[in-house]
């Protein structure tokens, strides 16, 4: 009887594992970026060129989705080479010491319609903190070229730079305390 129970448990676990679907980011139709207030008068924007995002789910509506994000800090792009170099320095991201930013979700809960709350652990500048972001599931369609399913998401939120020990020497009059996050992407099954 014990053997039957063990075998049944292993089969159930295998079925769950095989039912999982992984969705990979299509970088040509995606963007991971941020904005921050500069000198209290303007918004400065940037993005990262090198990142990987995977979504794992067992349900077509993504209601049990798990997000795994890794961003290479040295790929920061503000369309200003001198500023990019400064942002990579110890004054800001310290890319040499903290080469990646990661986010690993802990929950993805439907709020209403296409609106979700995405909660997870964000690691930035060597500090890991839980954050909750707003997510919009834009739907799933078949790509007419590849004939594969493609899903779209838009994710927004904000973090306090002080919570992550980021750019602590910069006064709020120069660099806003809040960093606004925005990512939009297409994912292929």
């Amino acid at each position: 009887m014990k053997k039957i129970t063990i075998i049944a448990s292993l089969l159930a676990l295998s079925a769950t594992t095989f039912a999982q679907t992984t969705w990979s980011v299509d970088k040509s139709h995606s963007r991971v970026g941020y904005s921050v207030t500069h000198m209290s008068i303007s918004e400065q924007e940037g993005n990262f060129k090198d990142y990987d995002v995977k979504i794992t789910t067992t349900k077509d509506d993504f209601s049990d989705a798990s997000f795994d994000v890794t961003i290479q800090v040295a790929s920061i792009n503000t369309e200003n080479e001198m500023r990019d170099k400064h942002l990579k320095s110890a004054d800001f991201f310290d890319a040499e010491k903290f080469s990646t930013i990661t986010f690993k979700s802990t929950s993805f809960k439907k709020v209403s319609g296409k609106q979700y709350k995405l909660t997870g652990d964000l690691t930035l500048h060597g500090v890991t903190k839980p954050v909750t972001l707003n997510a919009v599931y834009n739907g799933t369609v078949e790509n007419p070229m590849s004939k594969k399913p493609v899903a779209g998401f838009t994710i927004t939120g904000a973090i306090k730079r002080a919570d992550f020990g980021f750019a602590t020497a910069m006064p709020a009059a120069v660099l806003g305390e809040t960093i606004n996050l925005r990512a939009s992407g297409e994912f292929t099954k």
Side-chain angles (χ1 to χ4, degrees):
M1 192 62 159
K2 264 187 179 178
K3 285 182 183 179
I4 292 173
T5 303
I6 291 170
I7 292 171
S9 296
L10 288 173
L11 286 173
L13 180 62
S14 296
T16 303
T17 303
F18 290 121
Q20 278 190 341
T21 302
T22 300
W23 296 73
S24 300
V25 68
D26 173 357
K27 291 184 187 177
S28 62
H29 296 102
S30 302
R31 184 176 176 95
V32 175
Y34 69 91
S35 67
V36 65
T37 303
H38 181 252
M39 303 288 287
S40 303
I41 58 170
S42 68
E43 286 292 311
Q44 297 300 305
E45 297 181 354
N47 64 74
F48 296 91
K49 298 292 189 183
D50 188 3
Y51 56 88
D52 188 45
V53 183
K54 295 238 185 284
I55 302 172
T56 306
T57 186
T58 61
K59 298 181 179 179
D60 290 339
D61 68 355
F62 290 89
S63 58
D64 68 342
S66 172
F67 291 73
D68 190 354
V69 181
T70 302
I71 300 167
Q72 300 301 319
V73 171
S75 73
I76 194 164
N77 173 44
T78 64
E79 298 181 16
N80 181 305
E81 191 175 324
M82 199 162 89
R83 179 172 44 222
D84 292 350
K85 186 177 179 182
H86 190 203
L87 287 171
K88 292 175 196 176
S89 78
D91 290 343
F92 293 95
F93 284 100
D94 200 353
E96 200 170 296
K97 187 174 179 183
F98 306 109
S99 61
T100 60
I101 299 168
T102 62
F103 176 82
K104 297 197 183 305
S105 69
T106 54
S107 75
F108 188 64
K109 293 185 179 175
K110 189 171 193 167
V111 176
S112 69
K114 296 180 176 189
Q115 309 290 322
Y116 290 78
K117 288 292 181 187
L118 174 61
T119 302
D121 294 322
L122 175 68
T123 302
L124 167 67
H125 208 249
V127 177
T128 302
K129 298 261 184 187
V131 297
T132 299
L133 306 169
N134 300 310
V136 178
Y137 166 48
N138 299 314
T140 302
V141 297
E142 181 180 288
N143 182 318
M145 304 294 278
S146 69
K147 304 296 183 203
K148 291 182 179 180
V150 178
F153 289 89
T154 302
I155 298 170
T156 58
I159 59 170
K160 298 285 185 192
R161 63 182 170 94
D163 290 348
F164 293 89
F166 180 79
T168 54
M170 293 290 162
V174 175
L175 185 67
E177 291 293 335
T178 300
I179 300 172
N180 297 303
L181 309 174
R182 179 172 170 78
S184 61
E186 292 182 12
F187 296 84
T188 305
K189 191 173 188 179

